[in-house]
Amino acid sequence: MTKIEYRAVEKSFGENHVLRGVDFQVPSGRITAIIGRSGEGKSVLLKHSLGLLRPDSGEILVEGDDISKLGGRSLNETRSKFGMLFQGAALFDSMTVEENVAFPLVEHSALTRPEIAERVRETLRLVGLDGVESRMPSQLSGGMKKRVGLARAIIREPEIILYDEPTTGLDPILTDSIHRLIIQMQEVLQVTSLMISHDVEKVLDFAHYIGMLHEGKIVFAGSPDEVRASQDPLVKQFLAGSSEGPIEVL
């Protein structure tokens, strides 16, 4: 079953034509990754999924509803299905870990403060963090910040988690830890995961489905095995890490 579907999505910023007719399906309950060189529009496509950007033309269907045409309460209801881990975790520097993770519940739920505090503890435990509720973001390592950001993303029990370059700036050990955490979230919570990533080798090891964005279009989509076996010159060059020609590894 398809969770998100992009149909002929076009988006320009002035004369910069970023998305040029994106057609792509994100399967439900799986980990899907979008790869491609820097500047191809991966983050732009992710923002369209949340309705933060609207396409110039085309449709973005979330469980059959075109989010690009929703507004007000309907848009908020659809957005409530999503959690997002931003590239830099995007924690509030002036808030403690507990306050950061609790923020979505404080803003969008009727839970009492004790109920919220308990939910925060449970969620932090799920991402491998215990006893850090009173710490400030400045007291956390890069990997811990990512985990806190993920805890905030899943605190409302979303159906879909979006990951914007989740391992940027992390060393190989922390990168592996975050990837294993993504796998755990998909397995434990049974969510649909959509990520954009520059770490192609790792993505091929754990993503279920992969799309390659090039010059504003999805030029290849398939399983990791299908990506590895592809004879498409663009795919082969990207996987080989060649800096020659139109494709380069991020």
Side-chain angles (χ1 to χ4, degrees), residues 26-54:
V26 178
S28 180
R30 312 295 277 172
I31 299 174
T32 297
I34 296 176
I35 60 175
R37 68 180 182 179
S38 181
E40 290 287 2
K42 299 187 302 299
S43 292
V44 171
L45 189 61
L46 212 62
K47 290 175 181 176
H48 277 79
S49 309
L50 279 169
L52 298 176
L53 291 174
R54 294 183 182 270

Side-chain angles (χ1 to χ4, degrees), residues 8-22 39-41 44 55-57 214-217:
V9 176
E10 304 258 351
K11 185 65 178 181
S12 296
F13 298 95
E15 297 182 355
N16 185 16
H17 198 173
V18 179
L19 303 179
R20 300 169 179 263
V22 172
E40 290 287 2
V44 171
D56 298 330
S57 62
H214 176 62
E215 295 185 349
K217 296 183 178 181

Side-chain angles (χ1 to χ4, degrees), residues 21-142:
V22 172
D23 291 295
F24 189 62
Q25 294 183 349
V26 178
S28 180
R30 312 295 277 172
I31 299 174
T32 297
I34 296 176
I35 60 175
R37 68 180 182 179
S38 181
E40 290 287 2
K42 299 187 302 299
S43 292
V44 171
L45 189 61
L46 212 62
K47 290 175 181 176
H48 277 79
S49 309
L50 279 169
L52 298 176
L53 291 174
R54 294 183 182 270
D56 298 330
S57 62
E59 300 175 313
I60 301 100
L61 306 179
V62 179
E63 295 186 324
D65 294 324
D66 187 357
I67 193 171
S68 65
K69 293 180 172 59
L70 299 179
R73 180 177 295 178
S74 297
L75 178 59
N76 288 333
E77 287 177 355
T78 299
R79 281 177 174 166
S80 70
K81 298 177 181 180
F82 289 85
M84 182 165 181
L85 177 60
F86 295 91
Q87 186 173 136
L91 302 181
F92 299 111
D93 293 336
S94 61
M95 292 183 177
T96 65
V97 167
E98 180 176 12
E99 290 168 336
N100 266 284
V101 177
F103 186 79
L105 293 181
V106 172
E107 293 293 312
H108 302 289
S109 81
L111 296 177
T112 64
R113 287 189 177 276
E115 289 172 333
I116 291 176
E118 179 58 28
R119 180 80 70 84
V120 168
R121 283 192 293 272
E122 291 174 354
T123 306
L124 285 171
R125 194 175 301 119
L126 182 62
V127 300
L129 292 175
D130 286 305
V132 301
E133 289 86 349
S134 62
R135 292 192 192 182
M136 302 300 291
S138 60
Q139 298 173 299
L140 305 176
S141 67

